[in-house]
Each structure stands twice: as structure tokens, then as C-alpha cells.
Amino acid sequence: MRIEKKKKNDVSVVKVSGDIDISSSQEVRQYFESLLEENGNKVIINLGEVEYVDSSGLAAFVDILKKMRASGGTLKLSNVPGKVKGLFEITKLDKIFDMVDDEDDALDSF
Amino acid sequence: MFGRKDSFSIVNIEKLLKNDFSLLPGITSEVLKEVEKKGVSSDILFDVNLAMQESLQNAMQHGNKMDPTKKVKFKAQITDNFFELSVEDEGVGFDPETLPDPTKDENLLKENGRGVYLLTHLMDEVCYENSGRRVIMKKFFTETKGKRTGERCA
């Protein structure tokens, strides 16, 4: 699993690659906790290169969303691969996450 | 079978595991290599991988509660037509019918409780035996007429 961040104006665009599972989901949570502490309250997570997510990965996203909401921030998911998007739909998490097709569209929507 | 193939191959992989998440990548990749040989789609590989990961994590964490004196029995069978998985722990068991529905509005912001739900929806058959200590799942490699996702086996 790899995490890369870039800043576009006041929006943090975080690209996560690889697997978000039991062995990496804790690292993902910690990364976004640190980002929030740095006042990164407008965040796009680009999942375009994520190959696998399990229930611990979904739990990490819910944790990040709750913390973003609690701090008045906004979180958007972009470039979500079809199979991963399917997990959000099956679990109805697509009702609480703002998923945008493309990173540029996500940036424009802030 | 079906008048098209000359042979029918079956691969069985069995393990007795201690409760250690670091064992998961080795086991799942061994099984996925066999499933991949069947020429299945990446979506089916994803589902098979998820079924193994979720059921093993559940058995180790919630079933055996990471007790070092308890083991997990893992059995996978790969045929030309389907993947079947049996995972059994040595815990107290559970009743899957009593698990809260993670898709209800009041549960959407809860972090946990989606593992069993995902198994039920991504696999073609799921059944529990031995008071919930053993879960048996099946995933067909091709669309099967009349199959229902998450169907409970007899």
C-alpha cells in the first residue's frame, strides 16, 4: 500500500495505491488523522490505483469520514474502481460517501 | 463434463493455522494462483480473495479471540467450475441471524460489522455449521442458471 499527497489550492489530494486491508488499514487511519491535525479539512482520496479493499478498509474510510465531519471538513472519494465501488454499494456506504468519477471533477466541486 | 473437457481437475488445499494475520497473504496467494489457472475474471478473483481474508480474520479475531491455544481449520477446493471454502474456529460460535444489518441507516456510521455481510453478498452459497464455528462458502466460476447470491446451503 502506498500513499502520496499533493496540494491543489487548499485541497489535499491523497492518492492511495495497492491493498487496503487488515495489514494496512491502520496506517491509512493514522495518515488521515495526521492530515486533519495539519488543518487538511478539504480532502479528496483518489482510489484509482487501489486493487483490493476488505471490511477493515471500509471501516477505515468510515472512521476518516466521521473525523472529517466532526472537524467540519469535507471528504470526497474519486476514481473509485468498479469492484471497490461495488463494495460501497453493497454495504450502502455510497449513501454517506461523496464519490466523484474523476479527481478534476472532485476539485471543481469544492 | 458438459461434453467439452477431457479432464476435470480438483485441487484441495488444507491448513491448520495459528491466529496470526501475517499468515493470510501466503495462504491467499497460494489459493488465488490455483483459481487464476481456471481463467476466471478479475472480479471473481477479488471475491474469492475477500472471502478468504474475511472468514480467516473473523475466525482468528472473533472466533478464537487470538487465543494462542486455539487453531483455525482452513480447507479450500478449486474445481473447474467452482471454488469452495471451509473455515472453522474453536471459539464459542455465533448465530449469524442475530448480527445487526450494517446497511440500516443507524448502522452506516458504525465502523465494524460488514465482514459477514460482504461474504453473504459476494459468494454464491454461504452456510454455517457447528453453531457458527464453521462457515462454508461456494463461488461458481461461470454464471449458473438460477443461482442466487448468498444462498444458504442446506
Side-chain angles (χ1 to χ4, degrees):
Chain A
M1 196 270 301
R2 200 173 68 245
I3 301 177
E4 296 166 69
K5 188 185 86 169
K6 61 186 175 187
K7 198 95 175 171
K8 286 199 175 175
N9 300 321
D10 58 344
V11 181
S12 301
V13 182
V14 182
K15 187 169 194 171
V16 185
S17 314
D19 296 351
I20 308 175
D21 58 13
I22 192 83
S23 63
S24 59
S25 55
Q26 193 56 29
E27 191 185 333
V28 172
R29 287 173 190 245
Q30 284 165 354
Y31 179 88
F32 284 96
E33 254 174 57
S34 307
L35 187 64
L36 263 177
E37 283 164 15
E38 295 165 16
N39 290 325
N41 66 354
K42 287 184 185 174
V43 177
I44 296 168
I45 308 180
N46 182 328
L47 297 176
E49 288 179 20
V50 166
E51 289 164 9
Y52 175 76
V53 173
D54 69 3
S55 64
S56 71
L58 294 177
F61 287 122
V62 171
D63 177 46
I64 295 161
L65 178 67
K66 284 198 291 189
K67 286 181 174 141
M68 290 291 298
R69 284 182 175 180
S71 65
T74 306
L75 174 69
K76 294 175 192 283
L77 305 180
S78 80
N79 305 75
V80 187
K83 196 65 190 169
V84 176
K85 197 172 186 181
L87 298 185
F88 279 83
E89 288 166 355
I90 289 168
T91 54
K92 303 276 195 290
L93 286 175
D94 59 330
K95 287 166 73 175
I96 56 169
F97 281 91
D98 188 358
M99 288 194 272
V100 184
D101 286 347
D102 179 73
E103 185 182 304
D104 289 333
D105 292 343
L107 277 165
D108 290 343
S109 67
F110 272 105
Chain B
M1 197 150 203
F2 304 121
R4 286 190 293 131
K5 290 187 179 175
D6 297 320
S7 62
F8 187 83
S9 77
I10 296 176
V11 175
N12 288 300
I13 297 172
E14 296 191 11
K15 312 266 181 196
L16 189 60
L17 305 166
K18 57 182 179 174
N19 304 302
D20 181 353
F21 292 148
S22 71
L23 298 173
L24 269 56
I27 295 159
T28 53
S29 64
E30 182 182 344
V31 173
L32 288 172
K33 270 182 204 160
E34 293 299 330
V35 177
E36 216 167 356
K37 286 179 192 170
K38 305 298 178 188
V40 302
S41 67
S42 58
D43 282 0
I44 286 179
L45 282 172
F46 187 106
D47 293 347
V48 166
N49 189 18
L50 191 132
M52 289 190 285
Q53 303 260 8
E54 295 289 350
S55 56
L56 284 169
Q57 286 169 36
N58 281 344
M60 292 175 180
Q61 191 172 11
H62 303 298
N64 287 348
K65 303 197 183 303
M66 306 308 276
D67 179 344
T69 66
K70 292 178 177 171
K71 297 277 192 286
V72 174
K73 273 187 208 161
F74 173 93
K75 291 182 190 176
Q77 184 175 79
I78 302 104
T79 76
D80 289 348
N81 300 323
F82 63 83
F83 162 79
E84 188 171 86
L85 173 67
S86 166
V87 173
E88 184 172 11
D89 62 60
E90 296 177 352
V92 296
F94 80 112
D95 178 0
E97 300 294 335
T98 63
L99 293 176
D101 179 353
T103 65
K104 286 196 169 170
D105 285 349
E106 64 268 29
N107 295 330
L108 287 177
L109 284 169
K110 289 183 180 165
E111 286 177 37
N112 298 314
R114 296 182 181 87
V116 169
Y117 188 85
L118 284 175
L119 292 181
T120 307
H121 284 77
L122 294 177
M123 300 303 279
D124 295 320
E125 293 177 4
V126 179
C127 47
Y128 290 88
E129 296 177 348
N130 191 15
S131 303
R133 295 178 192 90
R134 180 165 57 238
V135 59
I136 300 171
M137 292 165 275
K138 198 179 259 193
K139 182 78 181 175
F140 293 98
F141 295 154
T142 51
E143 287 298 319
T144 307
K145 195 181 175 186
K147 92 176 180 188
R148 284 179 293 167
T149 301
E151 184 175 343
R152 295 290 165 107
C153 4

